Amino acid sequence: MLFNTLSGRFLLLTMLFVMLAEVLIFVPSVARFREDYILSRLERAQIASLALLATDEMIDANLERELLDNAEVFNVVLRRDEVRQLVLSSPIPAPIEASYDLRDAPAWELIRDAVMTLVDPRNRIIRVIGAPVRQAGLLIEATMETAPLRAAMIDYGFRIFLLSLVISVVTAVLLFLAVRRLLVAPIHRVVSHMSVYAEAPEDARRFIEPQARVVELREAEEALQSMQRHLTGALRQKDRLAQLGGAVAKISHDLRNILTTAQLLADRMEASADPMVKRAAPKLVNSISRAVGLCESTLAFGKAEEPPPVLTRFMLSPLVRDVVESERLASETSGAEFVTDVPGNLSIRADHEQLHRVLTNLVRNARQAIEATGAGTIEIAAGEDDQGWWIRVGDTGPGLPERAREHLFQPFQGGTRKGGSGLGLAISAELVRGHGGRLELVRSDSEGSEFMIHLPRELATPAAH
């Protein structure tokens, strides 16, 4: 289980990397050890030779053998003044298999010879050549066997391995503790805060307070805190929307009952002989009917979502004219002028009631924007192309505020005027999407705003399997 954790894996990787570094150091170290071993034997041989030369007398065979055994060589050749002189000698047990000149030997050659000595278990006889100490001659040669050299190299390598193992373990443990203290503990703290926050996301007291000193971990804590704030705000807003939806549903239920009574009275008004009443009664009946339908749709929306559109073919011009006449009555004191450019023979396929609601919302928003400036023009145009139908609603008002443009089709955030809820545009966009089309803001600046409705010509078909 240790190596399934971040700190455990870091411990294992540290040990492996330290050992790898020691291996890279081991080979040159062993090569240097071999060179020092051979040079020490040559130095002993040189000292024995100089002592013998200083006497200028023959020495006893036992003393000569003792000097050679002490130097761990079989014979010694010293070259001085271009004269090569065999100073000490003894019987060589086997032929000489290789010669190694250590004077100015390149590093790669020393490493190669050291590796060859380690991998060859035979006890060979070799000749080694070096420079005398303190320039006591031109060169010194000696013959020696490789078994003691190889045994010393193996012992040295084993000690290096143990030292490397101790260093890697100590280093890994120290790094393990440092990682747990500096990295793993802050990560555990973040995870703990996430678990505590998940138990009650609405409780602002459960927000994490950034404390990490490591830059990356502190950025992670700050990002988590920002996410918690936004998520809690979104949850609170959704809760308020749910409560508001329940209140609206209750109000719509009672309002529907009141409008039903008003509709009965309006139906009786149609039988009046007064010409003015006869002319206004149909519009009053239609308005009350739409209000009743809107209340019923609100009740349905509180249960699920906006009902799907019932697509039928109808002429667009009468619908636009009805919307304009209703808004013109409300704009008699505002100075808003209406201009329509809708072909009289333009027939579209849509839900008549839902499209009426969409255009009413757009035109009413345009009228209210113009009322803020005193006077202006509202233009409604429509047409068709190969893809479908388009309806443009534009005005010469002051344009939308920046906040409204950022949250244009979000309920309770994209209000275009002071006191507005932003529901009109959100509902309109949802109704248009239900037709398979889209509602988009073409432009909004100091010269006015322009919305475009796109309705597709082709009906959506299920994908083939």
Side-chain angles (χ1 to χ4, degrees), residues 24 75 98 115-116 125 194 203 212 241 283 339 347 419 423 437-439 451 461:
L24 297 178
N75 55 41
V115 173
M116 293 298 297
I125 305 299
M194 294 175 65
D203 190 353
L241 290 176
K283 295 184 180 298
V339 177
S347 174
L423 274 174
R438 68 183 187 276
L439 173 62
F451 286 86
T461 55

Side-chain angles (χ1 to χ4, degrees), residues 5-263:
T5 63
L6 178 63
S7 53
R9 292 185 179 184
F10 192 82
L11 172 65
L12 177 62
L13 290 176
T14 301
M15 294 180 61
L16 291 177
F17 289 150
V18 171
M19 292 298 295
L20 178 61
E22 292 293 341
V23 168
L24 297 178
I25 298 174
F26 172 78
V27 176
S29 299
V30 170
R32 172 59 66 180
F33 175 82
R34 173 181 174 275
E35 182 185 18
D36 292 340
Y37 182 93
I38 294 175
L39 290 177
S40 68
R41 271 56 184 174
L42 289 176
E43 184 177 355
R44 294 180 190 177
Q46 179 184 343
I47 294 173
S49 301
L50 292 177
L52 179 61
L53 292 174
T55 63
D56 290 331
E57 296 180 1
M58 296 295 294
I59 63 172
D60 183 68
N62 292 331
L63 179 59
E64 183 178 18
R65 186 178 304 107
E66 184 178 351
L67 291 172
L68 290 173
D69 290 342
N70 182 64
E72 298 183 13
V73 296
F74 293 111
N75 55 41
V76 180
V77 175
L78 186 63
R79 179 177 293 179
R80 304 175 66 186
D81 301 329
E82 302 296 335
V83 178
R84 186 173 182 272
Q85 182 179 0
L86 180 62
V87 181
L88 296 171
S89 66
S90 66
I92 301 177
I96 297 175
E97 295 190 20
S99 297
Y100 300 99
D101 191 349
L102 301 183
R103 298 172 299 172
D104 300 327
W108 66 268
E109 188 175 311
L110 294 175
I111 293 175
R112 180 199 64 187
D113 296 338
V115 173
M116 293 298 297
T117 303
L118 283 175
V119 299
D120 190 354
R122 297 177 301 156
N123 184 19
R124 300 181 300 150
I125 305 299
I126 61 174
R127 177 189 290 113
V128 292
I129 304 171
V133 179
R134 298 184 180 277
Q135 299 180 352
L138 297 179
L139 62 82
I140 183 172
E141 299 179 11
T143 56
M144 57 184 294
E145 56 185 351
T146 59
L149 171 61
R150 182 172 181 270
M153 293 174 63
I154 292 176
D155 179 69
Y156 173 80
F158 182 72
R159 287 186 282 114
I160 288 292
F161 171 76
L162 290 181
L163 179 61
S164 302
L165 183 60
V166 172
I167 293 175
S168 64
V169 171
V170 172
T171 304
V173 170
L174 292 177
L175 288 175
F176 173 80
L177 297 176
V179 167
R180 287 190 64 86
R181 173 66 178 172
L182 300 177
L183 295 179
V184 177
I187 291 176
H188 283 165
R189 177 175 176 270
V190 172
V191 174
S192 176
H193 272 282
M194 294 175 65
S195 301
V196 171
Y197 175 76
E199 294 175 358
E202 300 85 1
D203 190 353
R205 297 173 301 173
R206 298 173 183 253
F207 291 171
I208 186 173
E209 290 296 334
Q211 297 178 358
R213 297 181 180 179
V214 181
V215 175
E216 292 80 4
L217 290 176
R218 189 172 185 86
E219 291 177 351
E221 290 180 347
E222 291 175 350
L224 176 60
Q225 185 188 58
S226 176
M227 183 198 69
Q228 289 174 336
R229 293 185 185 279
H230 284 87
L231 181 57
T232 299
L235 290 175
R236 288 177 177 174
Q237 182 182 17
K238 289 184 180 298
D239 184 60
R240 289 195 298 268
L241 290 176
Q243 296 176 5
L244 179 61
V248 170
K250 294 176 182 178
I251 295 173
S252 297
H253 179 271
D254 295 338
L255 183 60
R256 180 186 59 178
N257 296 334
I258 296 172
L259 290 175
T260 301
T261 303
Q263 189 176 27

